[in-house]
Amino acid sequence: MARLWGTLITSTTYGTWLRGDARGWVERGEIKPPEPTLEAADRAQLKFPPFRFAETELTPVRDAISLAIQARRDTKVLAITVQTWHVHVVIGESLASIPAVVKCLKDAARWHLRLDRPIWTTGYDKRYCFDERSLLARIAYVERHNH
């Protein structure tokens, strides 16, 4: 098996990227085209309004997530960005499972904000980096979001 150099994790906030979205969407690893009827149906099922991080919270939430992953999961954060409707985190090699890291990052943001409502979508996306080139490309992609 090839060495795992790192992983890019992406999670979106509640209600901001629904099935059928005009930007495309993913189901079981397959990219799907826009389906406005499906998106409208999913939007109608939301129990809360879509959640977006306030601009003033982007840096504090980023810091809370980064600190939690490093301290609680003993996992190095190589790059991180928190945007109003999503987060990207690149982690290095880790003994922690990806689901455990994702739970940690979602819990850290929720704990920091202390909101009594959903702030995250249920799932997340992960992209493994099996060589230095792919790892550096994903780090650069995440860092571009911070400018």
Side-chain angles (χ1 to χ4, degrees), residues 45-58:
Q45 295 298 312
L46 294 176
K47 293 184 171 95
F48 295 87
F51 179 81
R52 294 182 187 278
F53 292 111
E55 292 283 340
T56 57
E57 285 295 339
L58 299 181

Side-chain angles (χ1 to χ4, degrees), residues 5-139:
W5 285 63
T7 307
L8 165 64
I9 299 166
T10 302
S11 188
T12 55
T13 58
Y14 179 85
T16 59
W17 200 310
L18 304 172
R19 295 179 311 151
D21 191 284
R23 297 167 287 187
W25 51 289
V26 177
E27 183 174 70
R28 295 184 179 99
E30 183 182 338
I31 298 173
K32 303 281 192 168
E35 291 186 40
T37 305
L38 181 58
E39 183 181 14
D42 278 4
R43 188 168 311 287
Q45 295 298 312
L46 294 176
K47 293 184 171 95
F48 295 87
F51 179 81
R52 294 182 187 278
F53 292 111
E55 292 283 340
T56 57
E57 285 295 339
L58 299 181
T59 299
V61 169
R62 181 198 67 205
D63 293 347
I65 289 171
S66 185
L67 180 64
I69 291 171
Q70 293 180 93
R72 295 187 190 136
R73 294 292 162 218
D74 194 27
T75 299
K76 186 165 179 67
V77 174
L78 303 176
I80 183 171
T81 187
V82 175
Q83 300 296 306
T84 57
W85 62 273
H86 70 289
V87 61
H88 293 301
V89 181
V90 179
I91 60 169
E93 295 177 90
S94 176
L95 295 176
S97 70
I98 297 303
V101 172
V102 171
K103 181 178 183 331
C104 183
L105 82 83
K106 288 182 175 185
D107 287 351
R110 184 178 291 112
W111 184 85
H112 172 78
L113 295 171
R114 291 179 168 72
L115 295 176
D116 188 26
R117 57 150 299 156
I119 65 171
W120 297 107
T121 55
T122 303
Y124 57 91
D125 183 64
K126 60 187 177 295
R127 303 295 165 129
Y128 297 115
C129 305
F130 292 106
D131 55 43
E132 184 178 26
R133 184 172 156 224
S134 67
L135 179 64
L136 293 175
R138 290 193 169 113
I139 289 171

